[in-house]
């Protein structure tokens, strides 16, 4: 492990630590017969290089040597403990000696590398805690510097609300307790400081949960040592947490947890536990096991004699950050299981969900998944390296890998640790990936990251992981009837992307039972939406070739394309439409186009129409022609829209006209829903239509009766609401900016500019409120109408697919936009849900609204 060996002597010709540049095999040998050498020939004075050039070369060589040494030091720190082998203790001891020798010259590099490893390699906390302990035993000042660095980093992370960093740094401090760098009392005081949020007069549940979770997530690594060395303060910490958990349970549990479950309770084979509740149960089981964690390595115990002689360090007092309106707290995903039978028992070799091992393994994997988001190749590598960070035999792959590499098997090693359980890393990985994909109300990253990462993992580990992933897909497919509609949407979006990376190969025959199901059944919908999105990623004929013929019923009958109403020569208005289309194709001026439209409006064939009907006809005729001319590509249609934008805006000056235009676009692109969504988005940007028109279109009878089971409708609605919210946020940011510029000395913005932006903010806030009020009025009205239609027929809403789809999307939109719903909750309550609203609203609808408000606003818990 001595990096110096790679810099010495022959073969490499590189510099050694003594700056002997001539001894290496690649260095220049002095030869007295060499013309340029001292012993042979002669060199004229003017042939000699200037002295400053020699000095520069010496400085460059010295700097290269320093860079090389620092690079090797960083590499040694990063790689130590990558795999748990019997030589781990020797490697740690050797590395500690190297770092101690070089610390004076390369302290910045060593500290930087340790900092990165603590925060980015969470599965190796014990390694770096022990390494710090060994450095502290060799030089107490070095240990103090590392503790100070970690302390400053923890306080900085708290102030920036970087909760993952906070959790990992507390865990590192826990390993420092094991390595005798800090006393148990010191860390228990830090935990007590975190739990002081429970003494606030009234606290937000999410804030208290975050503090408690960070403390509980530290205990598996250090609880045994703290219990043995300071049982009084340790029990005090546990008592405070227990009191909080009881109060939390008595107050009704977690606000809004019922609306963030992936499956409905009656169709889920396991109990869906909220993250903190599950962790508390796992900690209680750990306590019953006398705080022993069999899967965790304990390298510090090997060095007890050395570490016990070292001095300890104090930690500063940490301040839990204050709550603000923009503060977000740590929110791990709830328990999500795939490989479980109908009896709730795991059907594969996986950790018991209520054991602390389940938390440790999945927490490490989730952290790596999130920390390496910027590089999916590195992420895939480190995800599979996690299995090698535990006691040999914990995972079946790590045990076999150790044996294959010549390392002793767990049962052959002279150790008190028994052979591990041999879990399947592929199945654990699959569950972790889908846990994050299905996390509600939204995942931490965009879906394309998880899709790309799964592709990378399948390609990097083709022998085992694809089979486990295929097993997970089939199990999730079987549970689609009870899955949340948003999770089902994410599932088929991911699945289509995944198929596109592997030639659309899939054993479709296993799903042939879907051919007999109703068209709006969850599984039929999954197949239809997966194939439609796959067509977007490829092309129509390619999918027809890849999919068995019997599954073609879930595909469009023809390739996606426009549907021009006036295309047939038999259409009575074909000639009129052709005249307008030719004028547009000839790029006639706005005045010429308006004259053409006016002459058509006054044509004798339209005399039987009322003035309003004529306006609707001209709007439809012109809009269809614009869309037809631009149907080749988005650039074509945008050019046409921009050229005749004033005409389009004039034609859509009323709410009724804008709704009509949305219907026209929907009819034209009904066979290409991707173009439909993009074009409505562009027309929204151009102010040809507005958000309220699109919201109203979603709840038109022809849409909600025929297309609510299609995802494109909800994609368009979500994109529209996102636009509205984004515009408000943009104006808010602009107002902050102009206020700063107005307050500057001298001011760079006038008061009139500030007032103008304030007025704009008032307008967009009002528009946003109107959009959400319209959304809830329409949505609740349609859902209630659906219930009223079922009652005379004697049919139950439960099991009625259109009702379940509608209620599911009602939940998703409230959950996704809970912040805005909470802001307008009083207005919505009064106008939509009160007795003076539309009508008496069914409790199944109103309860969702109440849960959404509770989830966002939170419940204050009186702890005193």
């Amino acid at each position: 492990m001595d990096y110096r060996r790679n810099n010495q002597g022959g073969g490499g010709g590189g510099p050694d630590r003594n700056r002997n540049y001539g001894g290496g095999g690649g260095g220049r040998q002095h030869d007295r017969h060499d013309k340029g050498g001292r012993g042979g020939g002669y060199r004229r004075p003017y042939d000699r290089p200037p002295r400053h050039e020699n000095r520069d070369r010496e400085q460059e060589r010295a700097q290269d040597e320093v860079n090389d040494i620092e690079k090797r030091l960083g590499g040694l720190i990063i790689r130590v403990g990558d795999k748990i082998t019997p030589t781990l203790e020797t490697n740690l001891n050797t590395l500690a000696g190297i770092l101690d020798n070089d610390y004076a010259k390369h302290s910045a590099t060593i500290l930087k590398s340790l900092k990165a490893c603590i925060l980015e390699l969470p599965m190796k906390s014990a390694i770096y805690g022990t390494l710090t302990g060994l450095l502290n035993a060799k030089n107490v000042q070095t240990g103090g510097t590392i503790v100070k660095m970690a302390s400053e980093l923890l306080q900085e992370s708290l102030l920036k609300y970087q909760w993952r960093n906070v959790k990992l740094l507390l865990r590192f401090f826990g390993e420092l307790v094991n390595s005798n760098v800090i006393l148990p009392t010191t860390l228990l005081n830090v935990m007590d400081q975190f739990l002081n949020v429970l003494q606030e007069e009234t606290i937000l549940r999410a804030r208290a949960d975050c503090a408690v979770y960070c403390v509980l997530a530290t205990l598996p690594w250090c609880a045994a040592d703290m219990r043995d060395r300071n049982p009084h303060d340790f029990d005090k910490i546990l008592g405070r947490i227990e009191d909080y958990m009881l109060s939390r349970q008595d107050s009704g549990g977690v606000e809004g947890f019922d609306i963030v479950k992936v499956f409905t309770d009656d169709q889920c084979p396991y109990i869906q536990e909220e993250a903190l509740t599950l962790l508390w149960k796992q900690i209680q089981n750990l306590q019953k096991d006398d705080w022993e964690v069999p899967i965790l390595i304990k390298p510090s115990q090997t060095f007890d004699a050395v570490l016990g002689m070292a001095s300890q360090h104090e930690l500063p007092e940490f301040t839990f950050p204050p709550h603000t309106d923009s503060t977000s707290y740590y929110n791990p995903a709830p328990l999500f299981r795939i490989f479980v039978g109908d009896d709730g028992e795991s059907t594969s070799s996986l950790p018991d969900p209520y054991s602390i091992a389940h938390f440790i393994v999945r927490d490490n994997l989730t952290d790596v998944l999130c920390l390496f988001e910027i590089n999916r190749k590195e992420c895939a590598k480190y995800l599979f390296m996690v299995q090698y960070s535990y006691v040999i035999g914990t995972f079946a792959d790590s045990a076999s890998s150790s044996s294959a590499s010549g390392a002793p098997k767990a049962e052959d090693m002279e150790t008190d640790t028994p052979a591990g359980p041999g879990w399947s890393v592929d199945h654990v990985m699959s569950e972790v990936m889908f846990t994050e994909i299905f996390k509600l109300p939204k995942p931490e990253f965009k879906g394309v990251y998880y899709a790309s990462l799964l592709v990378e993992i399948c390609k990097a580990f083709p022998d085992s992981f694809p089979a486990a992933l295929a097993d997970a897909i089939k199990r999730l497919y079987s549970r689609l009837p009870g899955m949340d509609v948003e999770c089902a949407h994410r599932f088929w979006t991911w699945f289509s992307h995944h198929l596109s990376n592997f030639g659309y190969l899939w054993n479709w025959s296993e799903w042939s039972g879907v051919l007999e199901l109703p068209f709006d059944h969850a599984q039929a919908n999954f197949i239809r939406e997966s194939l439609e999105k796959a067509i977007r990623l490829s092309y129509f004929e390619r999918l027809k070739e890849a999919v068995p013929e019997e599954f073609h019923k879930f595909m469009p009958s023809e390739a996606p394309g426009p549907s021009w109403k006036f295309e047939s020569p038999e259409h009575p208005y074909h000639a009129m439409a052709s005249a307008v289309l030719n004028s547009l194709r000839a790029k006639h001026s706005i005045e010429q186009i308006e004259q053409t439209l006016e002459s058509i409006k006054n044509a004798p064939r339209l005399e039987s129409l009322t003035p309003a009907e004529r306006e609707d006809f001209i709007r439809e005729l012109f809009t269809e022609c614009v869309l037809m001319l631009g149907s080749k590509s988005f650039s074509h249609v945008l050019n046409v829209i921009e050229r005749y934008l004033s005409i389009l805006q004039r034609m859509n000056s009323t709410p009724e006209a804008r709704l009509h235009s949305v219907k026209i676009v929907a009819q034209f692109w009904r066979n290409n829903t991707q173009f439909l969504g993009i074009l409505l988005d562009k027309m929204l940007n151009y102010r040809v239509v507005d958000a309220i028109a699109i919201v109203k279109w979603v709840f038109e009878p022809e849409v909600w009766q025929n297309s609510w089971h299609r995802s494109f409708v909800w994609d368009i609605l979500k994109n529209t609401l996102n636009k509205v919210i984004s515009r408000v946020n943009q104006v808010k940011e602009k107002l902050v900016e102009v206020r700063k510029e107005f307050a500057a000395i001298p001011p760079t913005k006038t008061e009139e500019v500030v007032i103008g932006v304030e007025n704009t903010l008032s307008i967009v806030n009002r528009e946003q409120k109107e959009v959400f009020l319209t959304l809830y009025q329409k949505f609740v009205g349609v859902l209630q109408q659906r219930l009223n239609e079922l009652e005379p027929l004697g049919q139950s809403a439960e099991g009625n697919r259109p009702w379940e789809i509608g209620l599911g999307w009602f939940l998703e939109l409230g959950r996704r936009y809970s912040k805005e719903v909470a802001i307008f909750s009083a207005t919505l309550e009064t106008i939509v849900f009160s007795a003076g609203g539309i009508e008496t609203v069914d409790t199944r609808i109103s309860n969702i609204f109440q849960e959404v408000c509770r989830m966002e606003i939170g419940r204050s818990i009186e702890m005193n």
Side-chain angles (χ1 to χ4, degrees), residues 811-858:
L811 165 59
E812 163 57 15
L813 292 174
R815 188 170 56 199
R816 177 180 290 261
Y817 304 107
S818 59
K819 182 178 179 181
E820 288 71 30
V821 172
I823 292 173
F824 307 130
S825 59
T827 302
L828 294 173
E829 180 74 39
T830 302
I831 298 178
V832 180
F833 294 96
S834 68
I838 302 170
E839 56 179 295
T840 302
V841 178
D842 188 87
T843 55
R844 286 167 289 190
I845 303 173
S846 58
N847 285 346
I848 289 177
F849 171 72
Q850 297 298 336
E851 281 295 302
V852 167
C853 293
R854 289 181 65 216
M855 180 180 69
E856 179 60 32
I857 298 172

Side-chain angles (χ1 to χ4, degrees), residues 663-676:
K663 292 179 179 179
I664 295 168
V665 177
Q667 187 278 334
F668 185 87
W669 284 117
R670 65 178 184 271
N671 294 327
N672 191 331
T673 56
Q674 182 183 20
F675 271 46
L676 170 60

Side-chain angles (χ1 to χ4, degrees), residues 421-437:
W423 296 319
S424 167
V425 67
D426 303 297
H427 288 81
V428 175
M429 181 75 64
S430 298
E431 283 197 343
V432 169
M433 290 296 301
F434 281 109
T435 298
E436 293 303 304
I437 291 174

Side-chain angles (χ1 to χ4, degrees), residues 511-734:
W511 291 348
S512 58
V514 73
L515 300 172
E516 308 300 326
L517 295 177
F519 75 96
D520 59 355
H521 188 277
Q523 291 175 343
N525 212 29
F526 174 83
I527 301 293
R528 182 185 302 105
E529 294 294 339
S530 296
L531 294 178
E532 179 174 321
K533 292 186 181 299
I535 291 173
R536 297 183 183 185
L537 298 170
S538 182
Y539 56 95
F540 181 72
E541 293 299 331
R542 174 71 178 88
L543 263 294
K544 286 193 70 175
E545 296 174 359
V547 177
E549 186 174 353
E550 58 268 26
F551 282 84
H552 289 180
K553 61 179 290 187
F554 297 107
M555 298 174 61
S557 57
E558 55 184 301
S563 179
W564 192 36
K565 183 176 181 178
F566 307 101
E567 183 174 9
S568 172
E570 306 299 325
H571 195 283
Y573 300 115
H574 173 78
M576 292 181 178
S578 298
V580 174
L581 183 61
N582 291 333
S583 296
L584 294 176
R585 188 174 285 124
K587 299 181 181 179
H588 287 176
S589 66
I590 293 176
E591 292 76 13
Q592 290 174 310
I593 296 294
E594 287 180 335
Q595 290 175 3
T596 301
L597 294 175
E598 187 65 25
S599 64
I600 293 175
K601 185 191 300 186
N602 297 324
R605 297 185 61 183
L606 302 182
E607 289 180 352
S608 61
L609 301 179
T610 66
E613 290 173 338
R614 290 188 187 186
E615 290 292 338
D616 289 346
F617 173 78
I618 293 299
R619 184 184 306 109
E620 182 178 25
L621 182 72
F622 180 71
T623 304
E624 288 255 357
C625 291
V626 167
L627 296 176
M628 187 60 195
L629 182 60
S631 61
K632 290 184 179 180
S633 68
F634 291 121
S635 59
H636 280 78
V637 73
L638 294 183
N639 286 336
V640 180
I641 290 175
E642 289 175 358
R643 188 178 304 128
Y644 301 109
L645 182 60
S646 61
I647 299 178
L648 288 168
Q649 289 176 338
R650 179 185 58 78
M651 287 183 171
N652 292 277
S653 57
T654 65
E656 294 77 14
R658 290 189 286 270
L659 175 58
H660 185 215
S661 288
V662 174
K663 292 179 179 179
I664 295 168
V665 177
Q667 187 278 334
F668 185 87
W669 284 117
R670 65 178 184 271
N671 294 327
N672 191 331
T673 56
Q674 182 183 20
F675 271 46
L676 170 60
I678 296 175
L679 193 56
L680 285 178
D681 177 72
K682 299 304 180 184
M683 295 182 75
L684 193 63
N685 291 341
Y686 284 117
R687 305 296 178 88
V688 175
V689 300
D690 60 7
I692 290 180
I694 297 176
V695 170
K696 289 180 177 179
W697 167 76
V698 171
F699 299 99
E700 285 291 299
E702 64 267 22
V703 177
W704 70 262
Q705 291 177 359
N706 302 316
S707 302
W708 265 23
H709 63 287
R710 303 292 306 281
S711 66
F712 77 89
V713 174
W714 306 104
D715 289 336
I716 290 171
L717 181 57
K718 287 185 288 186
N719 181 69
T720 301
L721 297 176
N722 291 339
K723 286 276 186 181
V724 173
I725 296 170
S726 176
R727 189 173 180 220
V728 172
N729 292 335
Q730 289 173 1
V731 177
K732 285 181 179 178
E733 292 173 1
K734 185 175 181 180

Side-chain angles (χ1 to χ4, degrees), residues 746-766:
T748 57
K749 286 288 189 294
T750 63
E751 185 177 4
E752 289 75 15
V753 174
V754 176
I755 294 174
V757 178
E758 288 175 343
N759 292 336
T760 302
L761 180 60
S762 177
I763 293 171
V764 295
N765 276 330
R766 185 171 63 252

